[in-house]
Amino acid sequence: MKRFFQPIQKDGSSKKPSLSSPEKMYSCSQSPEKTNSGNSIPENAEPLKFVTWNANSFLLRVKNNWPEFTEFVRRIDPDIIAIQEVRMPAAGSKGAPKNPGELKDDTSSSREEKQVLLRAISSPPFGNFRVWWSLADTKYGGTALFIKKQFQPNKVSFSLERSGSKHEPDGRVILVEFDSFCFLNTYVPNNGWKDDDSSFKRRRKWDKRMLEFGCQSSEKPLIWCGDLNVSHQDIDVSHPEYFSNAKLNGYVPPNKEDCGQPGFTIAERQRFSTILSEGKLLDAYRFLHKEQDLEGGFSWSGNPIGKYRGKRMRIDYFLVSEKLKDRLVACEIHGKGIEMEGFYGSDHCPVSLELSPVNEANGFKATECGPTEN
C-alpha cells in the first residue's frame, strides 16, 4: 500500500549480506523443469502452503532484513511465495523496449543491485525455488513469484487476459495454473485521493476487470493473494472513524462514497463485496477468524512515529474459491503490534495460507481459469 506518512526511503548502500554466488536467473519465458529437492513428493503433488508479502522494496529487505525474513521462510516452509512492490526496474536501456520478466543490468548500479538480489535468492532456502518476475519500467511496483522447484506449473501468465507475453502495467499480475487450481498474485492499484486518471478512475477500471476475471466460467478454483489495497469491513481497520474521515490537504471528493482513506472508502469496499460474491470467493482469513484481533489482525501499519502511529489496516489477503473452503487449514497474519513486529522492515507483514491435500472428494479438473487469450 502506498505510504501516507513519509516518502519511501531510497535504496541505500547498506552492508550487503554475505551470501553465495548467484545462480542463473529464470525469466518468464523459460519453462519450469521438475527437480528433485531431496524431499519425498508424491507424483502430481501440488503446492499446499503459501505466503504473500508486500516487501516495499525487495532490494531494501535483502540489504537490511534478510536474515530475519530468511528465518521466517524456513519456519513457515511455504511452497509458493508471492511478493509485491519488488521496486526493481525491468531490463532494457534508456529509450529501448523493456523486458518486464528480467531485472535491469545495463548500468553499473543496476548490475550491482541485481547481483545483490541474486546472491540472496540463490542461498538456502530460496535456492530451492524458481522465480518469475513482472516488473515496471522504473523502480515502482512490480511482483515476483517463487515456486518450489518440485512443483511444475502448467502455465504462467502476466496479465488478467492470461497472456504470457503481455505484462500488466507496473508489473501488477502473475497468474499460474496448476492441475487443480489457479494461483493469482496481484499488486492492486492504490485508490488515491482524487477523481483523476491516476486515482479513482484507475482503481474503478481495475476493479471492473477483476470482477470480469472472477466471473469467467471455470471449474478450476482460484487462489488470489497479494496487496489488494482494500479493507473490507470495519473490523479490518484499527480506527474506522479516523479512516472514514481522512482527507489529503483538506480535499473532499464530490461523491460521498469516495471520501476517506484510500482502501477504506465506501465505493472500494462495495466493489470488493461484489467481486467476492459474483466471483464466489471467500476471504480465507475472515472465514477462519470471525472476531477482530486488535494486536495481530492487521497486515499494514502506519509509521510508529507521527499521526499514523497505531493506525492499521488489513489489506493483504488470500481469497479462495468457495470450492476450496473445506480444504482451508489455516490463514495467518504474521505481524503484530504498533511497533510492527514481524514486518521485516516493510510497512506490510507476511500473510500465510495452508490447504489440505486434494483427494477424490475435493479434487477438480479444468482446462483454464479466467478469460482465455484471444
Side-chain angles (χ1 to χ4, degrees):
M1 180 177 184
K2 181 179 179 182
R3 287 179 182 246
F4 303 105
F5 43 82
Q6 66 178 16
I8 302 290
Q9 69 181 105
K10 296 181 179 180
D11 293 347
S13 57
S14 304
K15 184 178 179 180
K16 301 174 188 175
S18 176
L19 298 166
S20 59
S21 299
E23 291 183 339
K24 178 180 179 182
M25 178 139 179
Y26 295 95
S27 71
C28 62
S29 61
Q30 292 174 294
S31 298
E33 300 174 357
K34 290 185 178 180
T35 60
N36 184 359
S37 66
N39 297 326
S40 177
I41 303 296
E43 187 177 358
N44 299 324
E46 294 193 322
L48 297 175
K49 299 176 71 175
F50 314 87
V51 163
T52 182
W53 185 39
N54 180 321
N56 193 23
S57 177
F58 202 33
L59 182 64
L60 279 179
R61 305 293 75 83
V62 165
K63 289 181 175 180
N64 301 327
N65 312 96
W66 203 238
E68 296 86 356
F69 183 64
T70 297
E71 179 56 32
F72 167 78
V73 172
R74 289 185 189 277
R75 176 166 52 86
I76 300 298
D77 191 27
D79 299 321
I80 293 181
I81 305 171
I83 302 292
Q84 304 88 46
E85 284 206 73
V86 173
R87 291 189 176 271
M88 295 284 282
S93 57
K94 187 175 181 180
K98 302 300 189 290
N99 179 358
E102 295 280 0
L103 294 168
K104 182 179 177 65
D105 63 357
D106 64 325
T107 65
S108 58
S109 60
S110 64
R111 281 192 296 272
E112 180 181 358
E113 290 176 347
K114 179 177 178 178
Q115 291 301 310
V116 170
L117 192 55
L118 288 181
R119 281 195 294 268
I121 65 174
S122 64
S123 63
F126 302 95
N128 295 325
F129 292 79
R130 190 178 301 278
V131 60
W132 285 264
W133 307 95
S134 187
L135 306 171
D137 291 351
T138 60
K139 283 190 174 182
Y140 174 78
T143 53
L145 195 66
F146 292 74
I147 302 177
K148 278 185 177 177
K149 293 177 180 177
Q150 61 259 40
F151 301 110
Q152 181 173 346
N154 297 332
K155 183 176 181 179
V156 181
S157 306
F158 302 91
S159 74
L160 294 178
E161 284 73 36
R162 294 188 59 258
S163 170
S165 57
K166 178 184 176 182
H167 289 244
E168 292 288 341
D170 302 324
R172 294 187 180 275
V173 168
I174 303 179
L175 173 63
V176 180
E177 298 185 16
F178 294 97
D179 285 341
S180 66
F181 66 87
C182 292
F183 186 89
L184 177 64
N185 172 24
T186 64
Y187 173 42
V188 173
N190 184 276
N191 187 66
W193 298 90
K194 295 188 177 182
D195 193 7
D196 58 30
D197 290 341
S198 63
S199 294
F200 296 168
K201 293 179 181 178
R202 178 179 67 166
R203 181 55 181 269
R204 292 186 197 117
K205 182 178 179 181
W206 171 275
D207 288 345
K208 181 176 183 293
R209 293 180 64 211
M210 280 307 314
L211 178 60
E212 292 170 350
F213 177 89
C215 290
Q216 291 293 322
S217 176
S218 173
E219 296 178 8
K220 186 176 289 189
L222 176 68
I223 300 172
W224 174 19
C225 76
D227 176 0
L228 306 193
N229 260 320
V230 62
S231 292
H232 189 207
Q233 304 172 17
D234 282 1
I235 62 173
D236 297 319
V237 298
S238 60
H239 296 74
E241 184 176 355
Y242 179 90
F243 286 131
S244 295
N245 297 312
K247 300 176 184 177
L248 179 66
N249 300 325
Y251 174 77
V252 178
N255 299 315
K256 181 179 179 180
E257 62 268 23
D258 291 320
C259 294
Q261 178 80 28
F264 197 63
T265 65
I266 294 173
E268 292 171 276
R269 296 164 67 188
Q270 288 178 339
R271 293 197 299 266
F272 190 67
S273 292
T274 301
I275 291 171
L276 291 177
S277 60
E278 296 295 324
K280 294 181 172 56
L281 296 168
L282 292 175
D283 174 351
Y285 178 83
R286 189 56 66 207
F287 181 78
L288 297 172
H289 304 268
K290 306 297 185 184
E291 304 298 325
Q292 185 180 53
D293 180 354
L294 290 174
E295 178 67 10
F298 308 106
S299 63
W300 176 87
S301 183
N303 196 309
I305 301 175
K307 69 176 184 179
Y308 273 87
R309 176 176 172 80
K311 309 297 192 301
R312 294 171 289 167
M313 309 176 76
R314 187 173 73 92
I315 59 176
D316 301 84
Y317 290 79
F318 277 98
L319 305 181
V320 303
S321 295
E322 292 177 356
K323 297 175 182 178
L324 292 175
K325 69 178 182 180
D326 292 334
R327 294 182 59 194
L328 290 175
V329 174
C331 185
E332 303 297 337
I333 297 173
H334 293 274
K336 62 181 181 179
I338 61 176
E339 301 302 328
M340 302 170 71
E341 178 184 344
F343 281 67
Y344 308 111
S346 177
D347 52 348
H348 296 247
C349 69
V351 180
S352 67
L353 174 74
E354 182 176 357
L355 300 180
S356 62
V358 67
N359 56 43
E360 292 182 0
N362 58 29
F364 303 93
K365 285 188 178 181
T367 56
E368 302 286 357
C369 50
T372 57
E373 183 178 357
N374 294 329

